[in-house]
């Protein structure tokens, strides 16, 4: 069966510091991968999605970036965090055109 | 852009009551999904609907894909305290590479 992992589970970072969140999927190959942000426990905002290694589509322009160095690895990064980057970050995977399944999330607090 | 209107925004009910929530859109979807999210966790898929008119049950949960393909509802029968959480609908547009459009969620509170 497929599983999706995210780490860290919780992160507290100062403003202006860099960020790297990791997501990995097991039990499937060539998945579509997604990064979402959720503020205040409501509403999911799609940030990035990827249909293959090195292929990244951005939905919302901001100071975040994503990379997919391996088939089942998706990384969310920032060079300099802003206060407004605080939130709950969710990674999801799907088969092409399939149903999305979410990871456990990373709670980010920028101070 | 496309939007999903999910209602109600929140519900406070007594244990044992039935619950109904729905999502509507001006766009036509080829898939409707319902997720439940508990505090501090990722959304968990409850029911997936793939055909207009489809009615699917998962235990005490029942969901339907509207015949116009623009709406869906989720019913929970005989609610229990562990039903507490935020329920999200999501729709997948034709040709969207699998990307989903999410409703803003229905926050369910159940009083024992």
């Amino acid at each position: 069966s497929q599983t999706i992992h995210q780490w860290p589970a919780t992160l507290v970072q100062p403003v202006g510091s860099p960020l790297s969140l990791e997501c990995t999927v097991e039990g499937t190959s060539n998945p579509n991968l997604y990064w979402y942000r959720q503020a205040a426990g409501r509403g999911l905002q799609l940030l990035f999605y990827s249909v293959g290694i090195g292929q990244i589509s951005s939905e919302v322009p901001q100071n975040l970036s994503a990379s997919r160095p391996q088939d089942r690895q998706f990384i969310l990064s920032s060079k300099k965090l802003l206060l407004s980057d605080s939130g709950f970050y969710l990674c999801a995977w799907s088969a092409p055109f399939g149903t999305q399944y979410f990871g456990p999330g990373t709670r980010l607090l920028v101070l | 852009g496309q939007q999903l209107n999910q209602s109600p925004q929140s519900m406070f009910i007594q244990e044992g009551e039935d619950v109904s929530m729905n999502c509507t859109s001006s766009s036509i979807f080829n898939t409707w999904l319902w997720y439940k999210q508990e505090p501090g966790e990722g959304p968990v898929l409850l029911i997936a609907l793939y055909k207009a008119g489809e009615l699917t049950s998962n235990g005490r949960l029942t969901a339907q894909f509207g015949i116009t393909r623009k709406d869906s509802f989720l019913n929970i029968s005989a609610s229990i305290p562990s039903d507490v959480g935020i329920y999200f609908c999501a729709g997948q547009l034709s040709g969207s590479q699998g990307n989903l459009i999410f409703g803003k969620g229905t926050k369910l509170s159940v009083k024992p």
Side-chain angles (χ1 to χ4, degrees), chain B residues 46-76:
Chain B
L46 299 174
I47 293 178
L49 303 160
Y50 301 106
K51 290 169 55 177
E54 180 181 356
L55 182 71
T56 298
S57 293
N58 178 6
R60 293 179 295 106
L61 277 62
T62 301
Q64 186 160 27
F65 192 144
I67 198 72
T68 64
R69 298 171 63 192
K70 295 182 179 181
D71 63 319
S72 177
F73 72 75
L74 174 71
N75 288 342
I76 305 173

Side-chain angles (χ1 to χ4, degrees), chain A residues 4 6 36 44 90-93 100-104, chain B residues 35 42-43 100 102:
Chain A
I4 179 168
Q6 287 186 244
Y36 290 86
L44 286 83
L90 289 158
C91 180
W93 77 272
Q100 289 185 28
Y101 298 91
F102 287 85
Chain B
Y35 293 88
L100 296 177
F102 282 85

Side-chain angles (χ1 to χ4, degrees), chain A residues 1-7 23-31 33 71-74 91 93 101:
Chain A
S1 63
Q2 300 85 11
T3 55
I4 179 168
H5 304 279
Q6 287 186 244
W7 63 88
C23 171
T24 58
V25 182
E26 296 176 356
T28 186
S29 59
N30 196 32
L33 296 171
D71 181 45
R72 289 168 288 176
Q73 184 185 30
F74 205 23
C91 180
W93 77 272
Y101 298 91

Side-chain angles (χ1 to χ4, degrees), chain A residues 14-62:
Chain A
V15 169
S17 64
L19 173 74
S20 181
L21 303 181
E22 190 165 344
C23 171
T24 58
V25 182
E26 296 176 356
T28 186
S29 59
N30 196 32
N32 286 359
L33 296 171
Y34 309 83
W35 277 113
Y36 290 86
R37 176 166 59 200
Q38 185 177 35
R42 301 291 297 268
L44 286 83
Q45 179 187 36
L46 180 63
L47 302 176
F48 302 94
Y49 69 92
S50 171
V51 299
I53 295 174
Q55 299 179 62
I56 309 294
S57 296
S58 174
E59 291 292 304
V60 182
Q62 55 205 315

Side-chain angles (χ1 to χ4, degrees), chain A residues 32 34 36 38 40-46 49 51 57 59 88 90 94-105 107, chain B residues 9-10 31 33 35 37 39-45 48 50 86 88 92 95-100 102-107:
Chain A
N32 286 359
Y34 309 83
Y36 290 86
Q38 185 177 35
R42 301 291 297 268
L44 286 83
Q45 179 187 36
L46 180 63
Y49 69 92
V51 299
S57 296
E59 291 292 304
F88 193 47
L90 289 158
S94 75
F97 299 99
T99 302
Q100 289 185 28
Y101 298 91
F102 287 85
R107 184 162 302 284
Chain B
Q9 189 174 23
S10 61
T31 300
L33 306 169
Y35 293 88
Q37 185 179 28
E41 299 182 9
V44 174
L45 181 68
Y50 301 106
I86 301 178
F88 291 97
Q92 186 178 78
S96 63
Q97 291 191 323
N99 290 4
L100 296 177
F102 282 85
K104 294 188 184 302
T106 296
K107 186 174 182 179

